[in-house]
Amino acid sequence: MCGIVGYTGGRQAAPIVLDGLTKLEYRGYDSAGVAISGDGGDIDIVKAKGKLKVLCDLTDGGKKLNGLCGIGHTRWATHGEPSQNNAHPHCNDDKTIVAVHNGIIENYTQLKAKLIRRGYTFYSETDTEVATKLVDYYYRKYNEPLKAISEFALHVRGSYALAVLFKDFPGEIFAIRKDSPMVIGYTDGGAFLASDVPAILKYTRNIYYTDNHEIVLLSKEGVAFYNLDREEISKSATVISWDAEAAEKGGWEHFMLKEIHEQPDVVANTVNYFLHGDNLDLSELHLSDDYLKEIDRIVITGCGSAYHVGVVAQYVFEDLARLPVTVEIASEFRYRNPVLTGRELVIVISQSGETADSLAALREMKARGVKTLAVVNVLGSSIAREADSVLYTKAGPEISVATTKAYSSQLIAMYLVALKLAKLRGTISEEYFSTLKKELTLLPEKIKTVLENKSVIQKFASEMVDKEDVFFIGRGIDYATCIESSLKLKEISYIHSEAYAAGELKHGTISLIENGTLVFGILTQKALVEKTVSNLVETASRGAYIAVLADENVDGIPVKFDKVFRIPHTDGHFSASLAVISMQLFSYYLSVLRGNDVDKPRNLAKSVTVE
């Protein structure tokens, strides 16, 4: 949620800041603004409600704002409605201190009351204005930016990535973070900060990942890092391997469509990174074979699509490795008092590695002394750094808010861990182990086959464009695919959709079926097909329109069903990796046909860094 970009160096700052903000539009926002420090340190602030284009038009792409140092922000409204007044940047009364902020200041009402008692007034409803004036209060008290920011950090509760301009220190940006992402970049003659790498990758590949409560000073001479005691600390840069073009549309109509079509490659990349010929190598996890043999339970936690990956993994882990698995929604798990023995492995799944509830759940588990494994896509992210062990997926940058390729690469990562555990625990034969490894290597080509038949899905979407209620039903792994399929449809098409374990329909939900209601059945688990078909027949008798997505080897589908789609056969443990592709395409085409902004669906953000 929200995006921050900052630049200081030898070039006009505003065009660079605005360009960076366009790379962060996927994070979700409702207003935008920039603050540019001109000659002599005077700071110009321009803000606008709505899309970034409005701000770009106001400033002629930034050309109207002179100055070599600036910060910018795309705001997702939390405190106060979307408006120009509430948009960032925010400033003190005389505009000598200006700041942008991501996150939530939890004790802002108490801080605001304290500042009012000291004579401060407020023009907005935001916690960020409170944060800015708190920095101002401590700067007036100590007359030193690092001290002001360290005192700010000691007195606020919540999450923040804060970037501040001081008129008294032209050409410099001061920043600090806690639980909200912020990366720093530097190249000859310029320093950059941003909420995510794509915003600045055009300018530098040398990226510093900041830790909680680290203060950063950026100037054209370089970047310096300090702890809260204002002692300088050393950090090493990470060189980003993927190029800027990977975060561009490359001629595709939408990022989502591009990323759907990248799935054969990202699945192959993830498989091939860990599977070398006949050797499954997960040594980078730094989890010993002895430890993996001794765990007696696995707990998987995540949010949204990451949670859905965990639901698929539950079936795969339990069936292959014969380990009990529980899957927890992170926002619930973090507030529970679960019974833990210390012999569990907690797997935290997050595409961004910054998901607030997942990060909090991870920290709770670590505080209890439970071993944690992170499955993330972003190098150097908070969850990756704080987990005991990390497995990086190989999806590359994912820009569209609705995840597709990151979800697919997370599935592969979980399959690989399940195979490793099954092999170590001796719960599958060597022959079947080899068969499963071979099947993983074949998945990319089978995904390509699904994509080659996309026109059939596109045509079907055009026939269903007026539907307002859709139900997905399945059993076992097919049910896990249903909940992800339903989420995709909801988040980008705005069609009401539900997913149910097929056997639950008769326990109340079937009362919602009306004449013409679309019911989508997923049938890839041979042992469960007959049961799911009987549930579909029940809905058909009540007037439902029945569509089925089935493994090509599945028989026994009644000819009276309205539409049947086939996907290539794979081992049933891996079927979600093929079935979900068709469902992604169905959601995508429905959204386009309904005229929605596919990459930036309403009310949603890519990285959910607040509770």
Side-chain angles (χ1 to χ4, degrees):
M1 291 182 177
C2 305
I4 288 176
V5 176
Y7 167 76
T8 182
R11 300 168 60 182
Q12 188 177 4
I16 293 174
V17 171
L18 288 169
D19 176 65
L21 290 176
T22 65
K23 304 298 193 299
L24 299 180
E25 286 190 285
Y26 67 89
R27 297 176 68 86
Y29 70 102
D30 46 56
S31 56
V34 293
I36 305 298
S37 177
D39 296 339
D42 288 335
I43 303 172
D44 292 323
I45 300 172
V46 183
K47 305 191 287 187
K49 179 183 174 182
K51 294 296 184 182
L52 196 58
K53 184 180 185 302
V54 179
L55 183 64
C56 290
D57 289 345
L58 280 174
T59 62
D60 189 20
K63 295 175 184 176
K64 291 182 178 179
L65 298 172
N66 294 318
L68 308 180
C69 177
I71 52 178
H73 188 270
T74 49
R75 177 181 185 249
W76 173 281
T78 54
H79 298 76
E81 66 180 6
S83 69
Q84 184 178 22
N85 205 44
N86 287 328
H88 301 208
H90 286 284
C91 61
N92 61 356
D93 290 343
D94 54 9
K95 293 187 180 180
T96 58
I97 295 177
V98 180
V100 292
H101 158 243
N102 288 351
I104 297 287
I105 305 299
E106 294 173 357
N107 61 333
Y108 86 103
T109 54
Q110 297 97 314
L111 293 171
K112 186 174 184 178
K114 171 185 173 180
L115 291 169
I116 289 173
R117 289 194 298 270
R118 285 161 174 76
Y120 283 83
T121 59
F122 292 85
Y123 58 83
S124 78
E125 303 167 87
T126 67
D127 57 340
T128 302
E129 185 189 358
V130 175
T132 306
K133 289 180 175 175
L134 187 66
V135 172
D136 175 78
Y137 171 76
Y138 288 115
Y139 181 67
R140 292 176 186 274
K141 186 173 182 178
Y142 297 108
N143 200 37
E144 204 274 295
L146 290 178
K147 178 65 172 174
I149 290 174
S150 66
E151 287 293 324
F152 160 88
L154 293 173
H155 287 84
V156 299
R157 296 194 309 272
S159 61
Y160 49 83
L162 185 77
V164 188
L165 300 178
F166 293 83
K167 180 179 179 180
D168 295 341
F169 294 83
E172 296 181 344
I173 304 172
F174 294 82
I176 188 171
R177 70 158 292 224
K178 176 182 177 289
D179 297 341
S180 282
M182 182 167 63
V183 298
I184 307 297
Y186 182 74
T187 188
D188 290 343
F192 305 82
L193 68 83
S195 301
D196 202 357
V197 172
I200 58 177
L201 190 60
K202 177 179 178 180
Y203 306 100
T204 179
R205 291 178 179 272
N206 297 312
I207 301 296
Y208 297 89
Y209 292 95
T210 55
D211 291 316
N212 278 347
H213 290 139
E214 284 183 352
I215 305 172
V216 190
L217 169 58
L218 298 89
S219 68
K220 67 179 181 180
E221 286 78 27
V223 293
F225 299 88
Y226 302 87
N227 60 25
L228 288 183
D229 293 324
R230 291 169 289 142
E231 299 167 335
E232 189 167 359
I233 55 179
S234 61
K235 291 184 75 71
S236 299
T238 297
V239 179
I240 301 299
S241 57
W242 44 271
D243 56 28
E245 286 72 25
E248 301 291 342
K249 284 184 184 176
W252 293 91
E253 185 177 357
H254 297 101
F255 278 111
M256 184 178 178
L257 188 60
K258 171 178 180 277
E259 289 160 5
I260 287 173
H261 282 80
E262 288 175 342
Q263 287 175 113
D265 290 336
V266 303
V267 167
N269 291 343
T270 304
V271 170
N272 295 334
Y273 185 84
F274 296 104
L275 194 58
H276 313 292
D278 203 41
N279 181 37
L280 174 57
D281 182 8
L282 296 181
S283 58
E284 74 172 37
L285 299 186
H286 303 296
L287 296 173
S288 70
D289 288 355
D290 288 340
Y291 166 76
L292 292 174
K293 289 177 183 177
E294 291 173 1
I295 59 175
D296 57 19
R297 184 163 69 108
I298 291 174
V299 179
I300 304 172
T301 189
C303 301
S305 293
Y307 168 75
H308 298 163
V309 171
V311 179
V312 175
Q314 180 181 34
Y315 290 104
V316 177
F317 276 67
E318 289 192 339
D319 196 49
L320 294 181
R322 307 308 300 151
L323 266 171
V325 179
T326 57
V327 187
E328 307 280 355
I329 297 171
S331 58
E332 291 292 313
F333 189 48
R334 62 177 291 193
Y335 292 116
R336 279 179 44 209
N337 186 21
V339 178
L340 300 167
T341 66
R343 291 171 60 85
E344 299 87 357
L345 173 63
V346 174
I347 303 177
V348 181
I349 306 175
S350 169
Q351 186 273 325
S352 68
E354 302 291 349
T355 311
D357 288 310
S358 300
L359 180 57
L362 169 70
R363 288 171 175 166
E364 177 65 21
M365 292 303 100
K366 292 195 69 176
R368 290 168 175 253
V370 179
K371 186 80 77 173
T372 56
L373 166 63
V375 178
V376 299
N377 191 50
V378 179
L379 187 72
S381 56
S382 296
I383 290 174
R385 293 200 306 273
E386 295 189 29
D388 298 303
S389 182
V390 59
L391 193 162
Y392 286 110
T393 55
K394 310 299 175 184
E398 186 177 67
I399 305 303
S400 182
V401 168
T403 182
T404 52
K405 64 176 182 172
Y407 174 88
S408 288
S409 61
Q410 287 168 343
L411 282 178
I412 298 299
M414 298 305 279
Y415 298 156
L416 292 167
V417 175
L419 283 182
K420 176 73 172 179
L421 286 167
K423 175 72 182 304
L424 287 173
R425 296 168 64 84
T427 51
I428 59 175
S429 68
E430 284 291 338
E431 181 181 7
Y432 191 36
F433 180 62
S434 296
T435 298
L436 291 173
K437 288 188 295 183
K438 176 66 173 176
E439 194 58 39
L440 282 177
T441 65
L442 297 176
L443 281 179
E445 286 301 316
K446 293 180 178 182
I447 293 172
K448 286 182 182 178
T449 299
V450 177
L451 292 171
E452 287 167 359
N453 294 322
K454 64 184 179 183
S455 60
V456 179
I457 298 291
Q458 185 176 16
K459 182 177 184 297
F460 180 65
S462 69
E463 297 166 357
M464 298 294 109
V465 70
D466 293 328
K467 297 293 183 185
E468 293 300 334
D469 296 283
V470 180
F471 291 89
F472 294 87
I473 66 170
R475 293 173 182 257
I477 287 175
D478 290 337
Y479 164 65
T481 304
C482 285
I483 59 177
E484 172 61 13
S485 303
S486 178
L487 177 62
K488 279 292 156 291
L489 189 64
K490 280 183 278 201
E491 63 186 342
I492 64 171
S493 75
Y494 317 143
I495 294 172
H496 168 253
S497 172
E498 302 290 345
Y500 285 93
E504 282 296 293
L505 273 176
K506 63 181 73 71
H507 297 288
T509 309
I510 201 167
S511 66
L512 296 173
I513 302 299
E514 299 176 344
N515 189 45
T517 301
L518 174 59
V519 177
F520 225 126
I522 299 182
L523 304 172
T524 71
Q525 306 297 297
K526 276 197 168 184
L528 302 172
V529 166
E530 189 176 276
K531 294 292 186 183
T532 304
V533 165
S534 70
N535 298 127
L536 289 166
V537 169
E538 286 182 87
T539 65
S541 68
R542 288 158 177 82
Y545 184 103
I546 305 299
V548 168
L549 180 71
D551 183 293
E552 64 185 0
N553 286 4
V554 163
D555 298 319
I557 299 175
V559 293
K560 63 181 178 181
F561 284 175
D562 297 283
K563 189 73 68 172
V564 178
F565 302 96
R566 294 287 186 173
I567 56 174
H569 174 68
T570 186
D571 185 277
H573 296 94
F574 305 149
S575 64
S577 288
L578 299 180
V580 77
I581 307 299
S582 294
M583 295 297 96
Q584 292 169 353
L585 288 166
F586 178 60
S587 299
Y588 170 79
Y589 287 123
L590 264 179
S591 179
V592 170
L593 289 165
R594 290 165 72 97
N596 298 336
D597 189 341
V598 177
D599 289 330
K600 297 186 283 291
R602 67 188 185 197
N603 304 331
L604 298 180
K606 184 65 174 172
S607 180
V608 183
T609 56
V610 297
E611 295 182 44

